[in-house]
Amino acid sequence: MKSRRINDGVFWMGAIDWDRRLFDSLIPLPDGTSYNSYLVRGSDQTVLLDSVDPPKAEILMSQLNDVETVDYVVAHHAEQDHSGAIPIVLGKYPNAKVVCTPKCKGMLMDLLAIPDGAFVTVEDGETLSLGDRTLEFIHTPWVHWPETMCTHLREDKILFSCDFFGSHIATTDLYATDQGRVYEAAKRYFAEIMMPFRKIIQKNLDKLKSRNFEIIAPSHGPLYDRPDFIVNAYWDWVSDEPHNVVVLPYVSMHGSTDLMVTHLVNALAEKGVTVHQFDLCVTDIGKLAITLVDAATIVIGTPTVHVGPHPLAAYAALLANILRPKARFASIIGSYGWSTKVVEQIAGLIPNLKVEVLDPVICKGRPTQVDFASLDRLAETIAAKHRELSLSPPVALRLESR
Ligand code: FEO
């Protein structure tokens, strides 16, 4: 794709990766992604903000064909999907300086062997004049590594946010027009890489309140010309309050755990609790991650395999432990044939979750009426716990201003 005009002197550049289906060898990308780079021309100097993933470097370099001079390359984030082509850009513009946080400088030297002399490091709130335009650098750690920052282009009221507010979507839409689609993709992205750092992201969002921006230009997915839409969504995702939601990832080998899951889901639904049920044999783990953003309770369903949990259930527990959702309660249900240690072993996999563990329901063989009664009690306990916290239903788009 060719570069695209945002306004006089500010351009989208970069590459759309329609066919990418996996990120970090872990994260499913059902809708592809983009690596957004931006060119800002000031009256005195020109700056490129971020680059692209190295396999797409040729596209960025062709967009830079008519750009004679680049004085600065801003690196918001050292991860290679944004920084990887910077050495190639510097090959064309050897006098350009790389502008980044001090932490990012060290990472770029380690990852890309960019020499020490090529850097200008910037502190939080520092500005850089391009003549008639001013860049203000805002340190916003953990979106998604510790070295990350955003850039506020003051005169144009544009916030360049890199991963922050980004979405993995390949689209020709320059701006987010299909808000429902972008909301889900941005939530997926938040869940997979930023959720563990939501307390710090609350502070980053607070910092942005004093900045005047009408456009957010992230480095993945479309731009936002109605920033309230994504900023309000982030406030909901990072808040300390979960919603009236249970997430239930499970595996069943011969149907017993499946019967228990069905019974529990029905019992919870009758009590007005929203439940997301995921068969781990077929589910997209990104969908599971999205629902963990809102979940007040996580219930893991697993049969017993060689005394422990099914490996797929262990994987789901490990994933939840890594993503550190704000869930308050957890439980385990499932069946075994002759002996089991699933409760102890699953509990050992989730030390990061600050949850109250509700009585598990583990049955021998097929569930009986006694086991179904135990599941009814678990459903009642979960619903009562949610009621005590006055949890609200999950929200989708929240368009009003805070
Ligand atoms: Fe899009 Fe953390 O890189």
Side-chain angles (χ1 to χ4, degrees):
M1 179 162 292
K2 293 178 180 172
S3 66
R4 301 180 74 177
R5 177 186 174 281
I6 296 171
N7 69 24
D8 284 343
V10 182
F11 301 87
W12 173 91
M13 290 190 172
I16 298 173
D17 201 339
W18 295 94
D19 301 321
R20 188 160 183 178
R21 287 292 173 268
L22 203 58
F23 202 86
D24 288 346
S25 301
L26 170 71
I27 298 167
L29 304 182
D31 297 313
T33 191
S34 68
Y35 318 107
N36 303 338
S37 176
Y38 298 94
L39 188 81
V40 179
R41 290 183 183 277
S43 56
D44 297 341
Q45 291 178 306
T46 297
V47 59
L48 183 73
L49 296 110
D50 290 321
S51 69
V52 295
D53 209 28
K56 300 291 182 187
E58 208 175 303
I59 296 172
L60 176 64
M61 296 315 291
S62 72
Q63 293 162 343
L64 289 167
N65 258 346
D66 300 331
V67 179
E68 278 183 20
T69 306
V70 167
D71 300 286
Y72 297 101
V73 179
V74 171
H76 291 117
H77 179 19
E79 193 167 14
Q80 293 92 326
D81 51 326
H82 310 292
S83 69
I86 289 177
I88 299 167
V89 173
L90 294 179
K92 175 169 180 178
Y93 307 105
N95 296 321
K97 293 291 183 194
V98 178
V99 180
C100 62
T101 65
K103 229 176 225 167
C104 187
K105 173 183 169 180
M107 289 184 174
L108 290 174
M109 291 174 73
D110 292 342
L111 292 170
L112 301 171
I114 297 174
D116 194 10
F119 289 94
V120 174
T121 59
V122 289
E123 297 302 322
D124 188 23
E126 202 171 326
T127 58
L128 174 67
S129 173
L130 307 179
D132 59 349
R133 289 184 149 109
T134 313
L135 304 178
E136 181 193 9
F137 304 105
I138 307 164
H139 287 202
T140 48
W142 295 106
V143 289
H144 100 266
W145 286 358
E147 86 298 5
T148 45
M149 69 172 186
C150 297
T151 299
H152 183 209
L153 180 57
R154 284 178 174 170
E155 293 78 4
D156 301 81
K157 299 180 182 168
I158 301 175
L159 181 76
F160 298 99
S161 61
C162 203
D163 279 349
F164 202 10
F165 306 119
S167 62
H168 282 308
I169 294 184
T171 174
T172 54
D173 293 347
L174 186 58
Y175 294 98
T177 48
D178 183 344
Q179 290 194 334
R181 181 176 181 228
V182 176
Y183 178 93
E184 173 152 334
K187 191 173 185 180
R188 173 187 286 259
Y189 197 41
F190 167 84
E192 288 162 339
I193 66 167
M194 293 180 216
M195 183 154 61
F197 315 112
R198 62 184 185 83
K199 287 285 189 189
I200 298 166
I201 297 174
Q202 288 174 6
K203 292 185 185 143
N204 290 339
L205 288 168
D206 265 332
K207 250 185 190 179
L208 296 181
K209 280 181 179 169
S210 59
R211 269 69 177 198
N212 183 12
F213 51 89
E214 293 173 354
I215 292 175
I216 294 177
S219 291
H220 295 292
L223 289 72
Y224 303 92
D225 53 0
R226 286 170 286 175
D228 269 2
F229 146 59
I230 194 65
V231 172
N232 291 341
Y234 259 73
W235 274 115
D236 181 45
W237 302 339
V238 301
S239 81
D240 296 329
E241 284 298 309
H243 291 289
N244 185 18
V245 171
V246 170
V247 173
L248 207 171
Y250 75 99
V251 195
S252 189
M253 294 193 298
H254 297 290
S256 296
T257 302
D258 198 4
L259 286 170
M260 298 175 79
V261 167
T262 301
H263 189 92
L264 182 62
V265 170
N266 283 332
L268 287 165
E270 281 174 2
K271 295 174 194 316
V273 179
T274 298
V275 191
H276 298 288
Q277 165 185 339
F278 295 99
D279 179 346
L280 292 164
C281 293
V282 295
T283 196
D284 162 358
I285 60 156
K287 289 257 184 205
L288 170 60
I290 289 171
T291 59
L292 287 174
V293 174
D294 295 328
T297 300
I298 302 167
V299 178
I300 294 178
T302 180
T304 295
V305 179
H306 298 313
V307 187
H310 190 287
L312 289 176
Y315 177 76
L318 202 57
L319 185 70
N321 188 60
I322 291 167
L323 298 180
R324 280 182 268 158
K326 56 191 160 196
R328 305 281 180 85
F329 311 102
S331 192
I332 301 161
I333 64 172
S335 69
Y336 68 99
W338 53 93
S339 175
T340 186
K341 288 194 182 303
V342 291
V343 172
E344 300 92 311
Q345 292 192 16
I346 292 275
L349 292 172
I350 52 173
N352 291 342
L353 299 188
K354 306 299 174 212
V355 290
E356 176 186 347
V357 178
L358 308 176
D359 283 346
V361 181
I362 306 296
C363 73
K364 192 164 187 287
R366 271 176 88 81
T368 63
Q369 289 310 313
V370 172
D371 302 309
F372 290 133
S374 298
L375 290 168
D376 286 334
R377 281 195 294 279
L378 177 58
E380 182 46 47
T381 303
I382 291 170
K385 296 276 183 190
H386 288 201
R387 278 195 303 274
E388 279 168 27
L389 294 174
S390 304
L391 299 181
S392 59
V395 293
L397 296 174
R398 186 181 285 180
L399 296 172
E400 76 274 16
S401 295
R402 286 175 65 86

